Amino acid sequence: LGSRLSLDVSKRAIVHPPAVRARSAVGRYQLPAPPMMVGFLWRPLLVAGLGFAAVAAEGEASADATCPSGSGACSADDDASLAQIKVRPLPPRSSQPPSVGLAQSSTAGPADFVPCTYSKTYAFPASIVQQDSEGIEGMESRCKGNSVVNSEDEATCILDNNAFGFDYKYWPVENVCMYSEGATPNLSQDQCKTLYGKWIENGVKTVKLPDGTEAMTGIGYGALNGLRGECALLKYEGKQAVIFQVSVRYWSLCMTQNTWEYLLDGEDPKDHCFVPEVKMINCTDVPGMS
């Protein structure tokens, strides 16, 4: 049902951002649009919001059930610390290479950097495919003559700017950790809230990662099999950025303004085909997150 809703919504006209209100079928979820957001950034949020409504209409899990039915990958302990989150076992995902052994929100994916793509099919929670491919013709146009992917299963993702869309102030925790079934296969909704709250508290800044390399932090869209509450490490021409995913996977990798400016030395990616390399990492491996 979630997939059908996504397909239907993708054909509708975009509502002007200040008037947008995505609400669930049972009236428990409301997503206000920030006044400075451009329309194309909010279309994916409407898709995800309506997908969430489908889950609610089918019957949400009880407040105590923070894991999908039958899953032992996460815990119902709402008070789990960030350190406890980090050591949770990580189930592999069938559509990507086996887990690299990192745990916490979920970091299934390649161990090394790969050219950026995003999954069009990976679903979590069940029936919710946290992706949007609206306007992907823009990627193909910008990348004409380059080797890119656009299949039924995945597509290339390219760097894009912020357009005021991913300033931290526009992304309250309830708009990020939005699924009662759990944020990821091994991160409950409440644990996601704790993790994201810490990320926001740390702010946008350069950090030194465990391997000694430097990266700028930020928030934005997801890549690979990414889910809200996970972190992707992007690399482009020697610069790196760690993005905490707060929305869907998308071909246009918009992110916090200071972050893309750092990654691209201030060059606006608009109309360019800048394909970064990407891999999933532990959000708690970022200094200040443990």
Side-chain angles (χ1 to χ4, degrees):
L1 178 58
S3 298
R4 292 201 299 273
L5 283 170
S6 294
L7 290 173
D8 290 341
V9 171
S10 67
K11 300 174 183 176
R12 299 177 186 173
I14 299 173
V15 181
H16 191 269
V20 172
R21 290 293 185 273
R23 194 174 180 86
S24 79
V26 293
R28 289 199 297 272
Y29 175 72
Q30 189 174 31
L31 179 61
M36 301 180 73
M37 185 74 84
V38 293
F40 86 93
L41 284 170
W42 277 89
R43 210 211 64 81
L45 288 172
L46 295 177
V47 172
L50 287 171
F52 174 73
V55 173
E58 291 174 356
E60 291 183 344
S62 68
D64 293 332
T66 56
C67 300
S69 177
S71 170
C74 65
S75 169
D77 180 7
D78 294 343
D79 298 319
S81 67
L82 293 178
Q84 290 173 314
I85 293 172
K86 184 173 181 179
V87 298
R88 295 179 186 279
L90 176 63
R93 298 181 188 172
S94 59
S95 59
Q96 285 191 350
S99 161
V100 296
L102 298 176
Q104 144 295 105
S105 53
S106 176
T107 50
D112 297 318
F113 285 104
V114 295
C116 191
T117 60
Y118 71 96
S119 171
K120 297 181 179 181
T121 58
Y122 177 69
F124 188 88
S127 82
I128 303 297
V129 181
Q130 296 186 46
Q131 73 89 35
D132 183 38
S133 297
E134 177 74 8
I136 198 167
E137 299 83 5
M139 180 275 289
E140 293 179 315
S141 175
R142 286 163 60 171
C143 294
K144 188 175 182 179
N146 294 276
S147 179
V148 295
V149 178
N150 184 17
S151 68
E152 292 184 359
D153 298 321
E154 64 178 359
T156 295
C157 36
I158 60 179
L159 295 174
D160 228 325
N161 56 28
N162 171 43
F164 299 105
F166 288 103
D167 293 353
Y168 281 25
K169 64 183 178 182
Y170 291 145
W171 291 87
V173 66
E174 60 269 19
N175 290 359
V176 178
C177 306
M178 57 194 295
Y179 298 113
S180 60
E181 296 90 336
T184 78
N186 60 337
L187 186 73
S188 74
Q189 184 180 39
D190 287 324
Q191 291 163 350
C192 175
K193 291 177 179 179
T194 300
L195 195 67
Y196 182 59
K198 189 70 173 176
W199 191 271
I200 295 299
E201 180 183 323
N202 282 341
V204 183
K205 60 184 180 182
T206 55
V207 295
K208 182 168 287 189
L209 300 175
D211 64 0
T213 60
E214 186 178 83
M216 176 72 82
T217 61
I219 61 174
Y221 287 127
L224 300 176
N225 271 9
L227 300 170
R228 291 169 172 84
E230 296 186 323
C231 288
L233 179 62
L234 306 178
K235 182 168 72 173
Y236 188 77
E237 295 188 349
K239 291 287 193 75
Q240 295 187 139
V242 184
I243 304 301
F244 190 107
Q245 183 175 334
V246 297
S247 185
V248 293
R249 302 182 294 272
Y250 199 36
W251 64 267
S252 174
L253 275 182
C254 297
M255 63 191 73
T256 309
Q257 182 162 342
N258 286 351
T259 311
W260 74 256
E261 288 180 344
Y262 172 87
L263 199 58
L264 296 174
D265 287 326
E267 182 177 2
D268 194 333
K270 182 181 178 181
D271 299 327
H272 293 289
C273 180
F274 296 153
V275 181
E277 294 179 285
V278 61
K279 67 177 179 178
M280 304 304 290
I281 70 167
N282 252 335
C283 294
T284 51
D285 280 344
V286 174
M289 289 296 294
S290 57

